[in-house]
Amino acid sequence: MSKKVFLSGIQPSGKPHIGNYFGMMKQLLGQPEDYEVYVLIVDYHAMKSVRDSKEMKENIIAVVLDYLALGLDPNKVTFFKQSDVSEHTELCWIFDTITTMPYLMRAHAFKDAEAKNKEIDVGTFNYPMLMAADILLYGPDIIPVGADQKQHIEIARDTALKFNNTYGETFKLPEAMIMKEVAIIPGTDGQKMSKSYNNTIPLFAEYEEIKKAVMSIVTDSRGGVPQNVFAIHKLFRNENELNKIYAEKAGKYKELKELLVEDLEKFIAPLREKRKEFAKDIPKALAILKAGGEKAKKVASAKMDEVREKIGVSVY
Ligand code: TRP
């Protein structure tokens, strides 16, 4: 029996925080051993928001270091970037030719963009077609995504079906695996932790940064338990134990925050140190990504040969 294939795409968009980790990254890295796994950095997709070459480079390098530090094993996972496998954009064009504008106009992401600005670039409109190509080239069974990406997976399935119906059985239909957010991870102000709210604790934070973030947690407490501190603390220590500690130290916010700082430091320090190790030799880290691209290219190029055969452009 062949292994199940699992594929995941990551936007290279800046510093991850502990909300990203517990919401998504942890689940992504904790996949069963016996799957064949592809993880791709979707740098061409990121072009719709990153239009500065230096920032793009830095973001790509940062994602590579982040995932290596978190324990992604390149011997088990094909870890690569989209722009290294030109078959993605090539297949995207082919999908464009079998997809209608009204169909893509129903995409939530397009509708949201349209509501905000009148001049949407073609790349944003076409985003789901490139994503369909990312997926379908590798014949994955399962795509882990947040709920906001569910429609994109449906579009990939529709596109696979449309192609199969037109040219004969070629693409396997993938399933979305909707990752439940473990809970909404609150930020330092009690709202959901998010870069756009400026309330994050970075996943690779330095000790001083952790301290500063924790000390700034808004303590809105009625029963002597600072809820926002507790909610973050729960991710790092058993709840029963915490209930006891918080009862003993009722009202002593500073001490409770100090304990949270220590618990965060215990969790973050090893990750931060590992990331620094990888950062000492960036060319080596990038060589891992490059080798992943070469591996992915073999699979993608075999699939594209099949596609070209099916559509009739292979005449030699
Ligand atoms: N659209 C996805 C997101 O914003 C990123 C993505 C691009 C992706 N291509 C993919 C995710 C392929 C899974 C599979 O998160």
Side-chain angles (χ1 to χ4, degrees):
M1 215 180 77
S2 64
K3 280 187 180 178
K4 283 216 167 183
V5 181
F6 185 98
L7 180 142
S8 173
I10 315 164
Q11 293 269 6
S13 55
K15 265 192 183 178
H17 52 70
I18 60 168
N20 299 134
Y21 178 76
F22 287 100
M24 188 91 175
M25 298 163 99
K26 187 179 170 199
Q27 299 177 69
L28 206 166
L29 290 160
Q31 289 314 313
E33 288 275 320
D34 51 348
Y35 280 38
E36 187 181 338
V37 182
Y38 292 89
V39 173
L40 65 140
I41 300 174
V42 294
D43 48 354
Y44 279 160
H45 274 124
M47 286 182 71
K48 73 185 176 70
S49 50
V50 182
R51 297 215 170 124
D52 176 275
S53 64
K54 187 165 165 277
E55 188 186 341
M56 179 65 91
K57 268 190 195 160
E58 283 170 1
N59 284 358
I60 293 170
I61 294 169
V63 182
V64 174
L65 297 177
D66 292 347
Y67 276 82
L68 291 177
L70 288 174
L72 180 146
D73 178 351
N75 295 316
K76 295 192 184 135
V77 174
T78 306
F79 185 38
F80 69 107
K81 67 180 170 70
Q82 193 183 34
S83 61
D84 281 349
V85 184
S86 54
E87 283 79 357
H88 291 230
T89 44
E90 190 178 355
L91 184 58
C92 174
W93 169 259
I94 291 169
F95 287 161
D96 281 347
T97 65
I98 58 167
T99 304
T100 69
M101 302 238 318
Y103 175 79
L104 282 184
M105 283 161 105
R106 290 200 290 273
H108 305 311
F110 170 73
K111 286 202 271 189
D112 292 348
E114 200 183 29
K116 283 192 213 129
N117 100 48
K118 295 187 204 80
E119 296 195 330
I120 298 163
D121 54 87
V122 178
T124 299
F125 182 63
N126 209 23
Y127 185 107
M129 292 292 97
L130 181 56
M131 180 158 164
D134 293 342
I135 295 171
L136 298 175
L137 277 172
Y138 302 94
D141 300 279
I142 298 161
I143 320 292
V145 284
D148 63 323
Q149 294 295 314
K150 188 163 173 253
Q151 192 189 31
H152 284 151
I153 307 300
E154 280 157 13
I155 294 176
R157 287 173 62 94
D158 285 352
T159 307
L161 259 179
K162 186 116 195 242
F163 188 97
N164 291 350
N165 288 338
T166 310
Y167 294 109
E169 199 57 35
T170 310
F171 294 111
K172 180 147 119 199
L173 269 51
E175 297 282 345
M177 182 179 96
I178 306 299
M179 297 214 253
K180 285 190 278 310
E181 293 212 22
V182 182
I184 301 249
I185 316 286
T188 53
D189 59 357
Q191 297 188 77
K192 180 183 167 160
M193 189 177 286
S194 161
K195 239 191 313 205
S196 51
Y197 298 149
N198 225 334
N199 64 357
T200 66
I201 302 175
L203 180 57
F204 298 99
E206 292 294 333
Y207 184 71
E208 286 306 317
E209 236 180 314
I210 298 174
K211 211 161 139 189
K212 199 167 148 230
V214 171
M215 291 307 161
S216 78
I217 297 176
V218 179
T219 44
D220 149 37
S221 65
R222 270 140 250 172
V225 172
Q227 297 300 338
N228 295 339
V229 182
F230 189 86
I232 298 174
H233 218 154
K234 239 172 33 184
L235 300 166
F236 302 96
R237 213 188 256 259
N238 170 298
E239 226 177 309
N240 288 334
E241 201 184 325
L242 274 186
N243 281 330
K244 247 173 68 197
I245 298 173
Y246 276 66
E248 275 165 22
K249 295 191 184 292
K252 297 184 177 154
Y253 299 165
K254 184 152 179 286
E255 281 180 41
L256 290 169
K257 282 183 170 182
E258 280 164 0
L259 184 64
L260 175 58
V261 170
E262 294 319 312
D263 283 351
L264 271 164
E265 171 67 6
K266 248 183 249 156
F267 174 77
I268 290 178
L271 298 176
R272 189 175 67 212
E273 294 317 311
K274 251 173 127 183
R275 195 181 187 286
K276 281 186 187 156
E277 272 311 302
F278 283 111
K280 278 186 192 151
D281 195 346
I282 290 176
K284 188 171 157 205
L286 291 180
I288 292 173
L289 189 69
K290 190 164 178 231
E294 284 156 11
K295 225 169 115 194
K297 178 106 187 163
K298 285 199 188 117
V299 178
S301 117
K303 195 73 198 177
M304 271 312 293
D305 283 347
E306 188 188 340
V307 168
R308 286 192 212 94
E309 194 65 48
K310 292 271 168 63
I311 63 179
V313 297
S314 307
V315 293
Y316 309 112

